[in-house]
Amino acid sequence: MVSAVQNEKLTRVGPGTPAGDLFRRYWQPAILAEEVPEKDGPPVRVRILCEDLLAFRDSEGKVALVDAFCPHRRAPFYFGRNEDGGIRCAYHGWKFDRHGDCMDMPTEPGNERMKSNVKLTAYPTHEAGGIIWAYLGPREHMPLPPDYEWMRVPHEFLHVSKTYEECNYLQALEGGLDTAHSSYAHNNNMSAKSDPRLLDKSPRLDVHPTDYGYYYVSTRNMGQGDTYVRLYHYVMPFQQMRGGIHEFSGARRKAPALDGHVWVPVDDETTFVYNWHHTYDSTTPIDEAHRIHTEVFYGRGPEDMIPGTYKLKKNKRNDYMIDRQLQKAKVYTGIVGINTQDFALQEGMGAIVDRSKEHLGATDHAIIAMRSMLLRAIDAVAVGGAAPGADPATHRGMRPYDDFVRAGEDWWAKFEPEIKAKW
Ligand code: FES
Ligand SMILES: [Fe+2]
């Protein structure tokens, strides 16, 4: 457990909060590139770390991320016109470029001084891996853009998506670092015989700190001395990477793949979960069917979403459409969709769970380690230190993995070459 004071420190993300200051030292996903497909196209509302912003792709094809409100009299830029290298406010026509510089101030003709003094808050962006990344922190501390292996994977082998989750980022991230819950929460076939998560419901966890966060190894007994070993990475501040060479839950993977999530705080009580998935190597490209299959498997396929949004139809307002008959017969939760199962449990805790009431055990070890890393990083940044894992040199060379290990086999000899980036 953490104290109520530590819980506050970890979960509040607005400007000037301790965790908010830490998170502003990292580049993070702001939107999917698909949300701003064309130059001079419609702008998109963005909320990130409690800040209301607006994204648009300008005439040069670069993505702007600026204050959602006009500096004149605070009209929403959302209704503005994206034209000739900037966004023009629909109220009185003031126009700004992606750097926040005023290009035109038609209500103040000839007042060059005012035009050059009025700035619009604008954040740097970086487009890679199907995502528009943003840096919201102080410029003097801006690291190089991130370089996770999955960001380098060509489009034909990479799939990214995002889902809106109605709770604080931390309890969602904790779910992603909690390998033990899949024995229950994601048990989609209670009669399955060979699923390691059902054969052994208390995996042993071994956490190894690194420069980017940690990796942890989860081991489950398969009988006769054989084990299933899954290696996850926790990448500061809110990313998980997991081996998905062997998927269970009835999933039939079209190609060995790796997966992960980045949980970006929208504000203290809501989160955008960015999901990435790429093939193990360049043997099998990802076609449209594979993309849909991946989304449907996790319960966020086209049929699962409220049209025009990144929100699930099965949500807390309809109890995730739990089916009590299905719960008796086959699926442990009675809820269909891996992500939906997670959301029911994570959102159901309340927007910000009270961690002072917890009773943590051995399988919570990775979560405990992540919380203390975040608390240490918050304190370090508060006194002028660096943000761990923000430098791409710390994270560009690694990847996760999972595999079966026979009795007497050296698991590390098997894993070591596999946890090095191949793209
Ligand atoms: S409020 Fe935007 S130009 Fe006046
Ligand atoms: Fe889960």
Side-chain angles (χ1 to χ4, degrees):
M1 72 171 231
V2 296
S3 69
V5 171
Q6 288 171 321
N7 203 34
E8 277 290 298
K9 196 169 176 177
L10 284 164
T11 54
R12 303 288 169 185
V13 299
T17 60
D21 285 349
L22 173 68
F23 296 162
R24 283 171 173 77
R25 297 295 187 88
Y26 297 87
W27 286 88
Q28 50 206 291
I31 50 170
L32 294 172
E34 69 179 28
E35 296 178 68
V36 282
E38 53 182 12
K39 291 177 187 173
D40 297 331
V44 176
R45 291 188 181 100
V46 182
R47 186 166 160 79
I48 179 167
L49 300 176
C50 302
E51 294 186 42
D52 286 308
L53 305 170
L54 190 83
F56 61 92
R57 196 180 287 277
D58 72 10
S59 311
E60 288 176 24
K62 297 274 194 299
V63 177
L65 186 66
V66 298
D67 188 346
F69 302 100
C70 178
H72 177 215
R73 290 209 345 254
R74 306 294 292 158
F77 267 122
Y78 179 73
F79 299 109
R81 210 159 173 276
N82 180 13
E83 55 173 34
D84 298 329
I87 185 103
R88 192 184 286 281
C89 178
Y91 211 2
H92 316 94
W94 289 21
K95 180 176 169 184
F96 294 85
D97 68 12
R98 69 170 185 273
H99 308 292
D101 292 328
C102 186
M103 300 170 76
D104 193 17
M105 199 175 262
T107 55
E108 308 293 327
N111 192 343
E112 282 306 312
R113 216 171 117 184
M114 184 168 178
K115 190 173 148 215
S116 59
N117 280 347
V118 177
K119 298 279 178 214
L120 175 66
T121 300
Y123 295 119
T125 64
H126 172 71
E127 184 164 358
I131 284 176
I132 309 298
W133 301 76
Y135 178 77
L136 275 63
R139 293 297 169 97
E140 66 275 21
H141 293 298
M142 186 168 82
L144 290 171
D147 188 22
Y148 309 113
E149 182 190 24
W150 62 267
M151 294 171 65
R152 302 192 295 270
V153 176
H155 175 76
E156 316 88 90
F157 303 95
L158 170 71
H159 177 69
V160 294
S161 67
K162 75 176 193 180
T163 329
Y164 185 73
E165 184 165 1
E166 294 181 76
C167 65
N168 181 260
Y169 82 96
L170 187 58
Q171 64 216 53
L173 166 63
E174 288 168 351
L177 294 173
D178 170 22
T179 199
H181 78 280
S182 55
S183 301
Y184 287 92
H186 304 316
N187 180 350
N188 289 335
N189 184 2
M190 292 189 273
S191 58
K193 293 282 182 291
S194 60
D195 188 333
R197 300 169 312 168
L198 307 187
L199 291 169
D200 181 353
K201 297 192 172 87
S202 61
R204 270 71 55 211
L205 304 191
D206 207 357
V207 177
H208 302 260
T210 63
D211 288 346
Y212 54 80
Y214 61 69
Y215 72 84
Y216 87 84
V217 184
S218 139
T219 311
R220 293 186 197 249
N221 290 327
M222 296 292 295
Q224 276 127 34
D226 296 345
T227 52
Y228 170 61
V229 180
R230 200 169 195 194
L231 189 143
Y232 289 67
H233 296 280
Y234 163 56
V235 190
M236 297 278 285
F238 32 59
Q239 180 168 195
Q240 170 249 55
M241 303 181 175
R242 63 185 188 277
I245 305 301
H246 301 280
E247 265 293 351
F248 304 99
S249 309
R252 289 240 305 282
R253 295 221 139 180
K254 299 196 170 175
L258 307 172
D259 301 87
H261 304 281
V262 189
W263 288 270
V264 182
V266 172
D267 50 34
D268 294 347
E269 302 194 343
T270 54
T271 302
F272 259 123
V273 192
Y274 287 80
N275 317 295
W276 58 262
H277 167 95
H278 66 83
T279 52
Y280 175 85
D281 57 23
S282 57
T283 313
T284 316
I286 292 177
D287 57 15
E288 196 51 28
H290 185 152
R291 290 176 198 279
I292 293 176
H293 170 90
T294 300
E295 293 297 284
V296 169
F297 166 61
Y298 285 107
R300 34 174 219 251
E303 299 290 306
D304 299 308
M305 309 304 284
I306 298 171
T309 74
Y310 294 95
K311 298 177 177 173
L312 296 182
K313 283 182 189 163
K314 295 181 196 137
N315 57 50
K316 66 180 184 181
R317 282 163 285 283
N318 53 33
D319 285 329
Y320 309 88
M321 301 188 195
I322 185 169
D323 177 340
R324 297 290 184 186
Q325 278 309 111
L326 186 68
Q327 188 172 38
K328 267 199 193 318
K330 189 173 177 204
V331 173
Y332 203 87
T333 57
I335 293 169
V336 176
I338 306 253
N339 274 188
T340 324
Q341 293 159 353
D342 283 323
F343 285 16
L345 299 161
Q346 294 162 8
E347 295 177 344
M349 294 171 176
I352 303 179
V353 66
D354 180 354
R355 292 179 175 77
S356 69
K357 292 182 175 162
E358 296 173 333
H359 298 83
L360 302 180
T363 61
D364 300 309
H365 194 52
I367 290 167
I368 296 167
M370 175 271 291
R371 291 176 186 171
S372 54
M373 267 182 190
L374 275 181
L375 286 167
R376 278 201 304 278
I378 288 170
D379 291 344
V381 162
V383 295
D391 178 350
T394 63
H395 59 238
R396 66 165 57 99
M398 52 74 167
R399 60 157 46 183
Y401 191 62
D402 67 325
D403 212 340
F404 293 95
V405 177
R406 300 285 156 229
E409 195 178 1
D410 176 357
W411 79 272
W412 182 244
K414 195 167 198 173
F415 272 61
E416 195 183 13
E418 295 292 355
I419 58 171
K420 295 190 169 70
K422 300 188 192 327
W423 294 94

